[in-house]
Amino acid sequence: MGQNSMRILVCPSGFKGSLQPDQAARCIEEGIMAVDPSTRVRQVPLVDGGEGFTHALVKATGGEIHHATVTGPVQQPVDSFFGVLGSGSTSGTKTGVIEMAAAAGLSLVPEAMRNPGVTSTYGVGELITLCLNAGCQRIVVGCGDSGTCDGGAGMLQALGAVLLDRNGASLPEAAGGESVVTLHSIDLSGVDNRLLTGQVTIEVAVNWINVLCGPTGVARVFGKQKGASVKQMDRLSQAMDALAEVACRMLDDQNIGLAPGGGASGGLGTGLRLIGAKLRPRYEVVAEYINLETLFDDCDLVVTAEGGLDDQTPRGKIPAEIARRAKRFGLPVVAIAGTIGVGARVNYAAGIDAYTCILQRPSTLQEAVVEAERLTRESAESVMRMIVVGRMLMSRRGNRTTNGQWGNAASALCNSAS
């Protein structure tokens, strides 16, 4: 390997319903190496609580995956799973791990049926029960990639809670977010006592920025991408207000509506708090298994990726979180995205120096999913070829390329591309 080999850190998220983080990392490395085989690539696939969260933590600790069938977000059975962490876990207790997306994720909702007014988290409660039955004393829940906005109502019902309206009538089970509008009280007496007494603890990895209520509440910020109309977002916002009112009484906390992480996964964060769960920033949880502080050692360029880059990316998603950390070390950052959405330019301020889309022509979602590996690989190859052009430009300006100058060359190219 040459002394002047470039050092690239590849740390992508997954592409929803398509590539897991490790698959995306592999494709990016293949694209880079196709241009310059001397490049030193270090893959660090990252998870943010959504798809891939369970497998990543299980792999990091030498644990095992358990498969199960649970109720999906549209009330149909889905193949799901939970994990049990291995000896590499730092907790010292038997720890189960689930990702809510494995039971109520957006990728489990057929496109024609995307309606957060009726999709439910019931299957998440079933996964928690499976962890209890497996003898877990600690359960880690990853929040992300949800297709729901029911405030965890379905999850609570699956665990034995009864949700009541003002007249004392039970709300229908697994009926989705719009049913929560009439919520007045919650009876937890039917919930497993191990949860209510703290014999089994639940920790929830959440996007700390997401709140339950108000103009930046979960229904208004994420409702549209889950299929809600503007009118329906208003209705779902009312439902989250109703949940907040009940939760304020139950938890004796008047700040529930704006509490950090309470809006995670369509309000699931708040629903889990009602059974004693502790919410934690998701990168704090991930850092127990992946040392984020040493990611950028011995690195000239950072390449990250996610399924959709838009104005929501800076709100705690992996590319922006990685970019912010990379900037502390003065490193250039390039993001590869499945799609480029509205307001994506705000990511420049978050530390992403340049971004590109894998799509090469107008395509259907299904076509993009089928071709995701090839498209990601070829997109990474294109990025690397641009980096090579940057090196040539630096060379023509009389700058001798050394290890220490690789990052400057990449940064110059990224800035010009921005």
Side-chain angles (χ1 to χ4, degrees):
M1 186 173 295
Q3 186 179 12
N4 296 329
S5 298
M6 191 175 189
R7 303 162 300 182
I8 300 179
L9 170 65
V10 175
C11 47
S13 175
F15 291 20
K16 291 180 186 178
S18 179
L19 297 180
Q20 292 295 317
D22 58 339
Q23 294 175 302
R26 174 179 52 78
C27 291
I28 292 170
E29 178 172 8
E30 289 174 355
I32 291 170
M33 300 301 283
V35 178
D36 185 357
S38 72
T39 305
R40 289 184 284 172
V41 176
R42 180 158 54 101
Q43 293 185 31
V44 184
L46 293 176
V47 290
D48 60 3
E51 293 178 357
F53 181 78
T54 301
H55 284 81
L57 268 59
V58 165
K59 181 178 181 180
T61 61
E64 57 184 353
I65 295 290
H66 299 262
H67 295 275
T69 299
V70 300
T71 304
V74 293
Q75 294 80 49
Q76 296 295 318
V78 295
D79 294 330
S80 189
F81 53 86
F82 69 96
V84 176
L85 300 187
S87 58
S89 172
T90 59
S91 69
T93 59
K94 187 172 183 179
T95 300
V97 56
I98 68 175
E99 60 198 56
M100 74 83 60
L106 186 62
S107 64
L108 297 177
V109 184
E111 194 165 0
M113 300 177 70
R114 291 187 174 174
N115 179 352
V118 299
T119 50
S120 169
T121 55
Y122 196 90
V124 179
E126 293 176 320
L127 286 178
I128 292 173
T129 298
L130 288 169
C131 287
L132 289 171
N133 293 341
C136 297
Q137 292 92 42
R138 175 177 176 248
I139 301 172
V140 179
V141 180
C143 282
D145 298 335
S146 69
T148 56
C149 191
D150 72 348
M155 175 273 301
L156 290 169
Q157 290 169 327
L159 290 172
V162 179
L163 280 60
L164 304 164
D165 65 17
R166 190 171 296 276
N167 298 318
S170 298
L171 301 190
E173 287 198 342
E178 291 200 46
S179 69
V180 182
V181 170
T182 60
L183 178 68
H184 181 68
S185 62
I186 299 176
D187 178 2
L188 297 177
S189 62
V191 175
D192 193 302
N193 201 49
R194 289 173 292 178
L195 295 174
L196 300 181
T197 61
Q199 296 176 52
V200 175
T201 60
I202 298 180
E203 296 180 11
V204 191
V206 301
N207 185 336
W208 206 238
I209 297 174
N210 289 353
V211 298
L212 188 65
C213 302
T216 59
V218 62
R220 299 193 185 282
V221 173
F222 296 104
K224 183 177 180 180
Q225 72 182 42
K226 298 177 185 182
S229 65
V230 173
K231 184 176 181 179
Q232 193 173 37
M233 285 190 282
D234 289 339
R235 183 82 168 158
L236 291 171
S237 184
Q238 293 171 22
M240 297 303 99
D241 289 342
L243 173 63
E245 184 176 339
V246 173
C248 282
R249 294 197 305 267
M250 296 179 69
L251 299 174
D252 192 24
D253 181 353
Q254 298 305 306
N255 193 45
I256 291 293
L258 298 177
S265 291
L268 178 65
T270 298
L272 285 164
R273 283 191 63 187
L274 294 176
I275 55 171
K278 176 183 178 182
L279 307 189
R280 299 175 60 193
R282 54 194 181 188
Y283 293 103
E284 180 182 294
V285 176
V286 172
E288 292 184 5
Y289 309 95
I290 299 173
N291 190 342
L292 298 178
E293 296 307 313
T294 61
L295 272 184
F296 307 102
D297 293 347
D298 193 34
C299 173
D300 299 308
L301 171 69
V302 178
V303 178
T304 183
E306 73 166 338
L309 194 84
D310 55 25
D311 58 3
Q312 294 305 312
T313 301
R315 294 176 58 88
K317 293 189 177 181
I318 281 175
E321 290 294 323
I322 287 299
R324 289 188 184 106
R325 288 168 169 82
K327 283 298 172 281
R328 299 173 192 166
F329 299 86
L331 294 170
V333 179
V334 177
I336 295 173
T339 60
I340 304 296
V342 176
R345 292 182 64 85
V346 300
N347 288 284
Y348 295 141
I352 294 173
D353 298 291
Y355 54 78
T356 185
C357 180
I358 67 171
L359 298 181
Q360 301 169 345
R361 58 178 175 79
S363 304
T364 66
L365 175 61
Q366 187 56 39
E367 288 172 338
V369 167
V370 169
E371 295 291 322
E373 290 197 27
R374 177 184 64 81
L375 293 172
T376 302
R377 184 167 55 249
E378 292 179 0
S379 185
E381 181 178 339
S382 295
V383 167
M384 191 60 188
R385 291 193 183 282
M386 291 293 286
I387 296 296
V388 170
V389 171
R391 179 178 61 176
M392 295 167 64
L393 288 172
M394 293 294 287
S395 178
R396 286 181 63 84
R397 291 173 59 185
N399 291 317
R400 183 169 53 90
T401 302
T402 65
N403 276 343
Q405 292 170 320
W406 259 110
N408 294 331
S411 185
L413 181 65
C414 288
N415 288 332
S416 67
S418 298

